[in-house]
Amino acid sequence: GWAVDVDAAGFVAGLLASAMPFGRIPASIAWGAAIDRFGTRDCLVASMCSLVVGHLVFALCRPLWAAMLARAVFLGAGNGFMALMAALILEVGGFDRQAHVIGYVTGGGTLMGLMGPAIGAFSYGAPSQFPALAPSMIGCVFAVAGAVLAWCWLPPRAAAPPPAATAAAAAAPAPEHVPLRRILCTKPMLLTMLLRAGSGFALFASFELVPLFAIASHDAGGVALDRQQCGLLLSASMVLVSIYSTFFQGRLANRLGLRVSIVGAG
């Protein structure tokens, strides 16, 4: 009921999708500080718990502003996975195998990113009072599973160093304080941020545009698929993408090098 028909759903879909990045951007620095203080495992469990709450609240929202607020707070700001991902990849894979772990993470993320709309297409509408409740419950199950797996498999935060090591560290000269502005203005950091912004823009655009193109009417330039047909389309496309990301992306990055891989992807 937030849009007149499927041809007018693009604006609302864009608002809902942008709510999460708007919540995530200001919270990313706070999540980075939380990693240093509490460790990656505890922060990941907290993020998964926020996703559980976000799915439940979003499914029960009636007005559009409440749905956007739920996505911005619980699914955006409360979900620190995007800030945690780099630390987790290095922690799990180490320097030599981080490219492989990135491939696994990217493959899993792509699989879920395409599977989510597919599951939503098949499960949306029951019950009619809260049509997003069924797919949101599935999202809750995935979030709970993520919290349990993170708690069981990821190592806890390292124990405090012994007193001798603490005393030696205190006697060592303090590292130079580098202002944030200087870090952001360094050549690799600025270029990396621009690349990340560009790839994120293209990724989010494809995730939004393809389903909208699939369900739009012929008069609006779409292919007028129903929900089940759209779900089948997304389910088929996610297979090839996830296979490449999981099994080939990391190997190609190690063989070709990061510079060639980034240029090729661009």
Side-chain angles (χ1 to χ4, degrees):
W2 293 333
V4 178
D5 52 32
V6 293
D7 294 337
F11 182 72
V12 176
L15 282 177
L16 289 173
S18 62
M20 288 193 296
F22 274 123
R24 183 182 298 148
I25 291 172
S28 295
I29 297 177
W31 276 111
I35 295 172
D36 294 335
R37 181 169 183 179
F38 302 106
T40 51
R41 186 190 70 172
D42 293 348
C43 289
L44 185 58
V45 171
S47 294
M48 295 300 103
C49 293
S50 179
L51 289 180
V52 172
V53 177
H55 281 298
L56 290 172
V57 174
F58 174 75
L60 301 177
C61 287
R62 294 282 190 168
L64 178 59
W65 66 266
M68 292 183 59
L69 185 63
R71 290 173 71 86
V73 174
F74 297 108
L75 303 180
N79 178 19
F81 180 75
M82 295 305 296
L84 289 163
M85 186 172 66
L88 282 169
I89 287 172
L90 189 59
E91 183 177 314
V92 172
F95 183 80
D96 295 331
R97 290 190 56 81
Q98 60 181 336
H100 289 280
V101 179
I102 290 174
Y104 298 146
V105 172
T106 306
T110 304
L111 181 66
M112 291 296 106
L114 292 171
M115 185 184 294
I119 292 175
F122 287 112
S123 59
Y124 182 83
S128 57
Q129 299 89 340
F130 301 101
L133 185 60
S136 294
M137 292 301 98
I138 299 173
C140 285
V141 171
F142 278 114
V144 171
V148 172
L149 293 175
W151 184 264
C152 294
W153 285 357
L154 291 178
R157 187 185 182 191
T166 305
E176 179 187 359
H177 175 70
V178 181
L180 179 61
R181 180 183 301 177
R182 179 179 168 187
I183 296 175
L184 294 177
C185 291
T186 55
K187 185 177 179 180
M189 177 64 73
L190 186 59
L191 178 61
T192 304
M193 291 173 62
L194 292 174
L195 286 172
R196 177 65 176 159
S199 63
F201 176 84
L203 182 65
F204 275 99
S206 64
F207 281 176
E208 291 299 309
L209 290 175
V210 171
L212 288 171
F213 169 72
I215 65 175
S217 67
H218 293 294
D219 293 337
V223 292
L225 300 182
D226 58 28
R227 287 205 307 269
Q228 285 71 27
Q229 291 172 328
C230 185
L232 289 173
L233 169 68
L234 295 173
S235 300
S237 64
M238 71 185 177
V239 174
L240 295 176
V241 176
S242 61
I243 289 175
Y244 167 76
S245 299
T246 304
F247 299 104
F248 298 102
Q249 179 174 303
R251 292 180 173 88
L252 287 174
N254 281 339
R255 178 172 296 182
L256 301 176
L258 293 178
R259 180 187 297 272
V260 176
S261 300
I262 291 175
V263 172

